[in-house]
Amino acid sequence: MAKIIYVEHEGIEHEVDVPDGWTVMQGAVTNGVPGIEAECGGSCSCGTCHVYVEGEQASLLPPPEDTENAMLDMVAAEVKPTSRLACQIKVTDALDGLIVRMPASQG
Amino acid sequence: MLSPQFRFDPYAAAVDADPFPFYKTLRDDFPCFWSADAKMWVLSRYDDIVRALNDWQTYSSAKGNLMDELPNRAGATLGTTDPPRHDRLRGLIQHAFNKRNLDYIESHIREAARDALAGFADKKSFDFVEDFSSKVTVKVLFRLLGLPPGDDHIVRDKAVLMVQSDPVTRQKGPEHIAAFEWVKNYAEKVIAERRANPGEDLISQFSLAEIDGDRLSEREVLLTTTTLIMAGIESLGGFMTMFALNLADHAEARRRCVDNPALLTDAIEESLRYNTSAQRFRRCLVKDTELHGQVMRAGEFVCLAYGSGNRDERRFANPDVYDIDRKPKGHLGFGGGVHACLGTAIARLATKLAFEELHKAIPDYRRVEETLPWMPSTTFRSPLRLELARA
């Protein structure tokens, strides 16, 4: 279990306890956090769960795989070095406190 | 646990007509219930269903996802494979269904709705299924998949038949299997034609696609295309019909949507929660799993009753009320997890635009029949006919 802090583009924060093994996307969708659409349900094929990761825990994330990088090329909002797809971030205890900010739009 | 008094039989006409009292008993008294009638476990609470949807390593789709599976389909479609294969298949198809790629189809949806409305402009009452939802759905889907016009009526009839089950024999009957075979043969011809003359359309791309350098198997191409036709036509049509039923039965909600069509968005989400047409899907256990004091064994099937999770008072306050102000986040009307419905964006868009057009022509309508002819299906729920009268 890790507390993930979701920050809407307008600045509204949502703290959610997400179980180990779930993805950051699942934690948001299941708890009704707005700003993550995840049209493909977490198959890394739609680019609508784009987030910017922050906080010291961000450095603990494994780098994106090729499929994630390919989808990041297709997201609607600006891509930054901190851009990730929330469906590809697996939650572990070590990520407790991870901050994910939503982009202006998912598409 | 022995429960001699209570049965949950998804083949029963009473469950087709009104599953909700059964769901309530399941949630309150038997949250992990062995249905001897369905020969599977039934999970009915919201949290349990969500947990299962998000745990494909335990609750596998590879042995099929329909309550009554069609022959030789499991393992060859999006809904009947697990990651990572599922994700690669979905990656080939998803782009055609993404919201941002659907702008082109808006005018076609409106046109399809207006054409259908013109067909019963002078009638005092009409069958929403036959006269409207079927016609709109088929035209939209044919456009989306790039299918050749002409066979649309018969394709629709077969797609609706193939998802049904025989309530007496408690399995797919010969007519349902024949309908499935018919749609499969139809898909086969379309695929062959596209391979000979490939275009930019989804089926052309999909039928020539490769995953990691391997071509998709013929079975994958054929059954995935067959399933897209089935799901597109039956599921979208069924959902639109349930939405019409809700707006006919809830005049105040309908009037508000007519006055302010932007509210259709919220009314659609609440309809997906309140009585989604996708009532029940199944999974197969990969390992022994204990839940609510019951041990479910590897290899046993588990029904995920989305329609029950959506009425779980542990998740939604006053769940039996159709409330368009609810904005029900996280509802299970499209399932969830990696198998969440592929067509969510087109379903929402087509329903909204179709009802905008419907309400311009017919702002007031009411249900004619008190008792509806419900489709005999263990998976889906919608009436076969919905007579509406202009009020």
Side-chain angles (χ1 to χ4, degrees):
Chain A
M1 185 83 79
K3 191 179 295 299
I4 305 294
I5 301 155
Y6 299 88
V7 187
E8 291 183 55
H9 187 64
E10 295 75 18
I12 302 165
E13 287 191 14
H14 306 262
E15 286 190 7
V16 178
D17 289 325
V18 183
D20 264 27
W22 281 39
T23 66
V24 169
M25 180 279 286
Q26 289 170 326
V29 170
T30 302
N31 291 284
V33 175
I36 290 182
E37 295 188 10
E39 284 183 44
C40 77
S43 309
C44 198
S45 54
C46 72
T48 63
C49 66
H50 178 201
V51 294
Y52 305 115
V53 291
E54 291 178 12
E56 54 193 81
Q57 299 82 0
S59 62
L60 301 175
L61 297 178
E65 295 190 9
D66 291 348
T67 47
E68 183 179 348
N69 277 324
M71 283 317 302
L72 281 168
D73 287 342
M74 300 171 70
V75 298
E78 180 192 0
V79 178
K80 301 177 185 177
T82 55
S83 285
R84 296 298 299 262
L85 293 181
C87 76
Q88 299 303 301
I89 305 175
K90 279 261 191 233
V91 171
T92 63
D93 291 348
L95 292 185
D96 190 48
L98 182 77
I99 300 166
V100 296
R101 289 187 185 276
M102 316 286 175
S105 165
Q106 296 286 3
Chain B
M1 188 191 299
L2 288 175
S3 51
Q5 308 299 324
F6 178 72
R7 285 174 61 186
F8 178 70
D9 179 3
Y11 295 90
V15 172
D16 290 332
D18 184 8
F20 301 105
F22 296 96
Y23 289 160
K24 170 103 176 111
T25 303
L26 284 167
R27 287 193 304 272
D28 289 348
D29 300 330
F30 310 104
C32 183
F33 180 72
W34 173 257
S35 167
D37 295 301
K39 296 185 180 62
M40 64 178 85
W41 297 93
V42 182
L43 302 188
S44 48
R45 288 188 185 173
Y46 179 88
D47 283 351
D48 294 332
I49 295 167
V50 167
R51 203 169 298 123
L53 285 171
N54 284 311
D55 181 8
W56 56 264
Q57 291 94 337
T58 304
Y59 296 88
S60 166
S61 294
K63 298 254 195 283
N65 64 340
L66 300 174
M67 293 283 285
D68 277 296
E69 196 45 79
L70 289 154
N72 202 28
R73 198 183 75 101
T77 71
L78 280 171
T80 63
T81 46
D82 293 323
R85 186 74 182 174
H86 162 270
D87 292 2
R88 306 306 300 275
L89 269 176
R90 186 146 182 168
L92 295 171
I93 297 175
Q94 180 72 43
H95 64 92
F97 292 85
N98 283 349
K99 193 163 64 180
R100 71 176 83 125
N101 296 333
L102 291 173
D103 289 350
Y104 77 95
I105 211 165
E106 290 194 11
S107 59
H108 298 285
I109 297 169
R110 288 194 190 278
E111 186 185 316
R114 286 195 289 257
D115 284 352
L117 285 163
F120 58 93
D122 53 350
K123 292 205 295 196
K124 280 203 170 62
S125 69
F126 56 98
D127 174 8
F128 185 86
V129 178
E130 178 71 25
D131 294 333
F132 193 74
S133 63
S134 302
K135 289 185 173 162
V136 175
T137 303
V138 165
K139 275 201 183 157
V140 170
L141 189 90
F142 269 56
R143 178 78 198 183
L144 189 72
L145 298 184
L147 300 175
D151 300 319
D152 41 351
H153 203 78
I154 185 163
V155 172
R156 187 260 163 188
D157 288 349
K158 301 292 185 189
V160 171
L161 197 52
M162 71 189 268
V163 304
Q164 299 180 21
S165 297
D166 188 317
V168 177
T169 62
R170 318 173 75 73
Q171 56 187 345
K172 295 279 180 198
E175 71 275 34
H176 309 125
I177 304 291
F180 169 60
E181 294 294 338
W182 191 95
V183 176
K184 214 167 69 172
N185 289 337
Y186 171 81
E188 197 167 18
K189 283 184 215 146
V190 173
I191 292 163
E193 192 273 326
R194 292 306 151 78
R195 282 192 175 137
N197 303 292
E200 294 298 311
D201 61 284
L202 177 67
I203 294 176
S204 291
Q205 292 174 28
F206 184 63
S207 58
L208 296 166
E210 298 181 348
I211 291 181
D212 298 333
D214 292 330
R215 280 279 289 277
L216 301 184
S217 75
E218 284 304 305
R219 198 163 79 89
E220 282 174 320
V221 173
L222 179 57
L223 288 165
T224 300
T225 305
T226 304
T227 301
L228 288 175
I229 294 170
M230 168 190 86
I233 292 179
E234 200 294 320
S235 302
L236 178 56
F239 175 67
M240 274 194 200
T241 302
M242 293 306 291
F243 188 46
L245 176 64
N246 290 335
L247 292 184
D249 284 351
H250 299 85
E252 177 61 23
R254 184 185 69 250
R255 281 185 208 111
R256 289 178 61 200
C257 290
V258 170
D259 291 344
N260 178 10
L263 286 178
L264 282 168
T265 304
D266 292 340
I268 287 168
E269 291 311 303
E270 174 64 346
S271 201
L272 286 162
R273 182 202 68 85
Y274 182 67
N275 52 12
T276 179
S277 50
Q279 283 286 311
R280 294 173 289 271
F281 277 71
R282 78 172 185 189
R283 298 289 187 265
C284 187
L285 285 161
V286 173
K287 54 191 178 219
D288 292 359
T289 303
E290 191 175 339
L291 188 63
H292 299 299
Q294 306 276 70
V295 178
M296 305 185 285
R297 299 289 178 195
E300 291 176 337
F301 284 105
V302 182
C303 160
L304 305 180
Y306 302 155
S308 174
N310 279 340
R311 295 280 188 112
D312 188 347
E313 37 293 273
R314 295 155 194 82
R315 169 78 187 192
F316 300 104
N318 300 318
D320 297 327
V321 175
Y322 180 73
D323 173 9
I324 66 170
D325 296 318
R326 183 189 299 272
K327 299 183 172 49
K329 294 285 184 195
H331 67 67
L332 302 171
F334 287 126
V338 292
H339 293 292
C341 175
L342 175 73
T344 54
I346 185 72
R348 287 177 168 127
L349 181 70
T351 305
K352 181 165 190 291
L353 300 185
F355 276 77
E356 282 181 21
E357 295 301 323
L358 173 74
H359 286 168
K360 282 183 208 165
I362 308 173
D364 275 318
Y365 46 90
R366 61 179 170 75
R367 200 205 302 195
V368 173
E369 295 171 295
E370 188 61 32
T371 305
L372 297 173
W374 292 96
M375 178 168 71
S377 169
T378 44
T379 302
F380 300 100
R381 177 173 182 263
S382 68
L384 293 166
R385 182 181 72 241
L386 177 63
E387 284 286 329
L388 297 177
R390 294 165 192 263

